Amino acid sequence: MNKVLLIYTGGTIGMGQNPQTGTLEPLNFNHLEDSMPEFNLIRANVDVDVYQFTPPIDSSDMIPKNWAQIVRIIARNYDQYDGFVILHGTDTMAYTASALSFMLENLTKPVILTGSQLPIGQLRTDGKENLITSIELAAMKDENGHAHVPEVCIYFSGRLLRGNRSTKINADGFYAFDSFNYPHLCDAGVNFTFADHHILKPDFSKRMMPHYAMDENVLVFSIFPGIQERIFRNILSSNALRGIVMRTYGSGNAPHIHWLMPLLKEAAQRGVVIVNISQCVAGSVVMNRYDTGYQLMDIGVVSGHDGTVESAITKLMFLQGMYSDANIIRGLMNQSLAGEIS
């Protein structure tokens, strides 16, 4: 049988209700069979082992140190398993999926993140289907015996998405994630419908190379009408700042404000890497389309193309952890490292 390692980090899927307070708190996921008898059925076809974070982490508390912990678990067990399923809270799932896509270089096995909007023990939970299907997808191989989806993905409510293209779109609905600028890798209904030509094709002869260092000296901010110079100047003046993800209008446009471009230019010349990401959920940054975008390109702002904020911020952390030269980082931000931009 194919072997899958199930890594429970925390999140709603593994929560139970405290009978005294009525609040949700983590369960011991090693007793998964108690809440989910269906788990034994899938174990008839797939050999599943469970690794549980102690204590479990609420996804709002997820930090780069925890991403490195996940990478270490996968790297230690990489040769023993055919795929990995990570149970994770939904709030920061897209950040974790994006980070892992860069930290697991030349990944040749599935790493599928999933979770739920309702705890797995509740009657109407979406967690059972998400978990069972994720395990099946992590165990699947193609006709050559290779993993069918050898990349970091998010699976939620019938959709298998590239992890570093995904964004949480709904706080309450079961369709919690989507990838607006990239097709679904698989739609799971009665049958699995794979978009094989959109799935990454790694070099299966090469070893997976784990990375652990992430430089967190980055910032995300949005351009908005009425942005104030004194506040913006204070943000950019930090000597620790190495990277900025700047969320601009439309196709990558910023207003003609007399103080804005000089401040951004000064930061860029100081070695701060500034990445331009659109505030729109779909579409791409094209800075030479309008003069309001060209002015950013002219001072050295890097296009984020059609990437997500989650992908851009974790990619900056990853590259800053590897390189001290801002020009090298700028060049690599313009390249697709793990299918994160088109």
Side-chain angles (χ1 to χ4, degrees), residues 6-10 26-30 50-58 62-63 65-73 76 86-88:
L6 181 65
I7 304 169
Y8 173 57
T9 67
L27 297 170
N28 185 335
F29 224 79
N30 287 307
V50 177
Y51 182 99
Q52 179 169 333
F53 273 35
T54 305
I57 301 169
D58 187 288
M62 189 67 64
I63 57 175
K65 181 178 70 174
N66 303 127
W67 298 338
Q69 183 181 357
I70 295 170
V71 170
R72 287 190 179 91
I73 294 166
R76 283 199 305 264
I86 300 171
L87 300 180
H88 194 290

Side-chain angles (χ1 to χ4, degrees), residues 62-75 78 86 95-107 111 152 164 207-216 311 313-319 321-322 337-338 340:
M62 189 67 64
I63 57 175
K65 181 178 70 174
N66 303 127
W67 298 338
Q69 183 181 357
I70 295 170
V71 170
R72 287 190 179 91
I73 294 166
I74 292 173
Y78 197 73
I86 300 171
Y95 288 95
T96 298
S98 296
L100 295 181
S101 74
F102 305 121
M103 298 170 80
L104 297 167
E105 183 181 349
N106 195 50
L107 182 67
V111 174
V152 179
N164 57 32
R207 296 282 297 174
M208 187 275 290
M209 184 180 300
H211 299 277
Y212 306 104
M214 299 288 273
D215 185 322
E216 302 164 42
S311 174
I313 194 74
T314 53
K315 186 177 180 180
L316 266 178
M317 287 182 182
F318 170 71
L319 292 175
M322 292 187 68
L337 303 183
E340 72 280 4

Side-chain angles (χ1 to χ4, degrees), residues 6 13 49 63 68 77 81 83 85-86 95 112-113 130 160 163 176 215 217 223 237-238 240 251 283 297 318 324 331:
L6 181 65
I13 192 169
D49 292 330
I63 57 175
N77 294 280
Y81 293 90
V85 173
I86 300 171
Y95 288 95
I112 300 176
L113 287 84
N130 287 346
L160 184 68
D215 185 322
N217 292 303
I223 295 291
S237 64
S238 172
S251 57
M297 184 172 64
F318 170 71
S324 59

Side-chain angles (χ1 to χ4, degrees), residues 50-327:
V50 177
Y51 182 99
Q52 179 169 333
F53 273 35
T54 305
I57 301 169
D58 187 288
S59 68
S60 297
D61 294 324
M62 189 67 64
I63 57 175
K65 181 178 70 174
N66 303 127
W67 298 338
Q69 183 181 357
I70 295 170
V71 170
R72 287 190 179 91
I73 294 166
I74 292 173
R76 283 199 305 264
N77 294 280
Y78 197 73
D79 293 333
Q80 284 73 52
Y81 293 90
D82 299 288
F84 302 85
V85 173
I86 300 171
L87 300 180
H88 194 290
T90 58
D91 285 348
T92 58
M93 187 182 291
Y95 288 95
T96 298
S98 296
L100 295 181
S101 74
F102 305 121
M103 298 170 80
L104 297 167
E105 183 181 349
N106 195 50
L107 182 67
T108 58
K109 297 180 180 183
V111 174
I112 300 176
L113 287 84
T114 194
S116 66
Q117 297 286 61
L118 287 174
I120 204 164
Q122 290 192 8
L123 186 61
R124 294 184 54 249
T125 183
D126 54 328
K128 292 182 180 181
E129 191 276 327
N130 287 346
L131 174 56
I132 290 171
T133 304
S134 294
I135 292 173
E136 288 190 30
L137 287 165
M140 281 187 182
K141 295 186 178 180
D142 62 19
E143 61 276 7
N144 298 315
H146 296 142
H148 203 132
V149 189
E151 56 176 289
V152 179
C153 304
I154 288 176
Y155 178 81
F156 233 88
S157 293
R159 300 166 171 171
L160 184 68
L161 313 172
R162 176 165 295 165
N164 57 32
R165 294 288 193 139
S166 303
T167 296
K168 186 176 181 181
I169 61 168
N170 197 317
D172 300 314
F174 288 157
Y175 289 98
F177 290 87
D178 209 345
S179 54
F180 293 99
N181 284 330
Y182 202 77
H184 301 171
L185 302 183
C186 178
D187 289 312
V190 174
N191 299 303
F192 291 104
T193 304
F194 288 95
D196 287 319
H197 55 295
H198 291 301
I199 297 173
L200 289 177
K201 303 296 188 293
D203 185 342
F204 288 97
S205 67
K206 292 184 178 179
R207 296 282 297 174
M208 187 275 290
M209 184 180 300
H211 299 277
Y212 306 104
M214 299 288 273
D215 185 322
E216 302 164 42
N217 292 303
V218 296
L219 174 74
V220 180
F221 77 90
S222 293
I223 295 291
F224 60 92
I227 187 170
Q228 292 295 301
E229 177 183 2
R230 62 186 180 276
I231 297 172
F232 193 67
R233 184 182 294 276
N234 287 335
I235 291 173
L236 291 189
S237 64
S238 172
N239 291 327
L241 184 64
R242 292 190 64 196
I244 296 173
V245 174
M246 183 170 64
R247 300 180 68 243
T248 55
Y249 305 136
S251 57
N253 305 310
H256 286 107
I257 305 175
H258 71 278
W259 54 263
L260 181 59
M261 293 305 125
L263 282 183
L264 291 173
K265 184 175 182 179
E266 179 186 327
Q269 289 176 341
R270 198 172 76 235
V272 177
V273 179
I274 307 170
V275 182
N276 188 351
I277 292 286
S278 175
Q279 294 178 24
C280 302
V281 295
S284 183
V285 166
V286 185
M287 287 191 287
N288 60 0
R289 180 175 294 170
Y290 301 102
D291 181 59
T292 47
Y294 188 86
Q295 61 178 341
L296 294 172
M297 184 172 64
D298 195 42
I299 63 170
V301 173
V302 179
S303 174
H305 303 279
D306 59 348
T308 65
V309 169
E310 297 93 335
S311 174
I313 194 74
T314 53
K315 186 177 180 180
L316 266 178
M317 287 182 182
F318 170 71
L319 292 175
Q320 289 173 182
M322 292 187 68
Y323 304 103
S324 59
D325 190 326
N327 288 322

